[in-house]
Amino acid sequence: MSAVTDAAPAVASTNPFSQLIRDSLVVAKRNLIRMSRIPEMVIFGLIQPIMFVVLFAYVFGGSMNIAGSTDSSTYREFLMAGIFAQTVTFATAGAGAGIADDMHKGLIDRFRSLPMARGAVLTGRTLADLVQTALTLFVLAVVALLVGWRTHTNIGEVLGAFGLLLLAGYAFTWIGALIGLSVRTPEAATSGGLIWLFPVTFVSNAFVDSSRMTPWLRHIADWNPFSATVQACRVLFGNPGVSPSDAWPMQHPVWASAIYSVLIILIFRTLAVRKYRSDTA
């Protein structure tokens, strides 16, 4: 009896934030081990962005006019920030499908039976996806160097650009988490995760100069959070950018990218955790 009595204060005094971090890391480790045992998950995740690099660089590169130049090497430097940003945002579909699959197989019910922080399941999953995204970015950067992409700033700014990309990718995985919790099957999560990504990534400055769009469409593109991240990376990489715009995110892209990403995390993490709690209550 005394042993139980003595143990009670220790449990009661557990810091909820510390428990959330500890449980999130445990879930993240579980997902990383699962990824390592299914290497095709990582391989297939690398193929698509590499295809985009090769296709856009060599098929469209010679016909694009960027910064007054039609040189394909100029377009390749312009392109890579968009490809990097597209890669981290497309990880959203995988995050949503993974969570939907866990829900479908009843794994979430098993987590619910454990004495763990409720938000840890989602946080751990998104952290594991962030690690996979970082690996994909590294491989993609090597491929980009092979096709002629170069940076023209110092190492600190280059690392800052990749940091913004990872922050944006982590923010978008929370949108995927909410989608994964809101549908019944992994297939629906994958479809739902891609439908909205295509207009977000293509109505932007990722692949073309937004100044060539109609005025109302350029306004949307300039205020698109995705465009802010792309433009911030071009600034930090020292790569050619789009024509000047009066839109605040294009004037201050680094700050805009960071603010957008933090807001997305705060909003969609709150919604996703609330959805998770209501579904498993």
Side-chain angles (χ1 to χ4, degrees), residues 150-225:
R150 296 293 183 269
T151 61
H152 306 283
T153 53
N154 59 55
I155 186 65
E157 290 176 302
V158 172
L159 292 177
F162 282 110
L164 284 177
L165 286 167
L166 291 175
L167 179 62
Y170 183 68
F172 276 79
T173 56
W174 281 106
I175 301 178
L178 181 60
I179 293 173
L181 291 169
S182 302
V183 299
R184 297 182 180 180
T185 64
E187 293 79 8
T190 301
S191 299
L194 290 174
I195 288 173
W196 64 274
L197 278 174
F198 279 103
V200 167
T201 54
F202 283 95
V203 183
S204 71
N205 59 9
F207 308 113
V208 297
D209 188 341
S210 59
S211 66
R212 299 179 181 274
M213 300 178 181
T214 57
W216 65 270
L217 196 59
R218 181 181 186 181
H219 186 73
I220 295 174
D222 287 346
W223 285 89
N224 183 346

Side-chain angles (χ1 to χ4, degrees), residues 106-117:
L107 182 64
I108 300 298
D109 292 332
R110 279 176 272 172
F111 280 134
R112 182 180 60 178
S113 67
L114 299 175
M116 61 188 301

Side-chain angles (χ1 to χ4, degrees), residues 269-281:
R269 187 186 187 281
T270 300
L271 293 175
V273 172
R274 184 176 299 174
K275 176 71 174 175
Y276 173 80
R277 287 176 175 171
S278 65
D279 287 349
T280 58

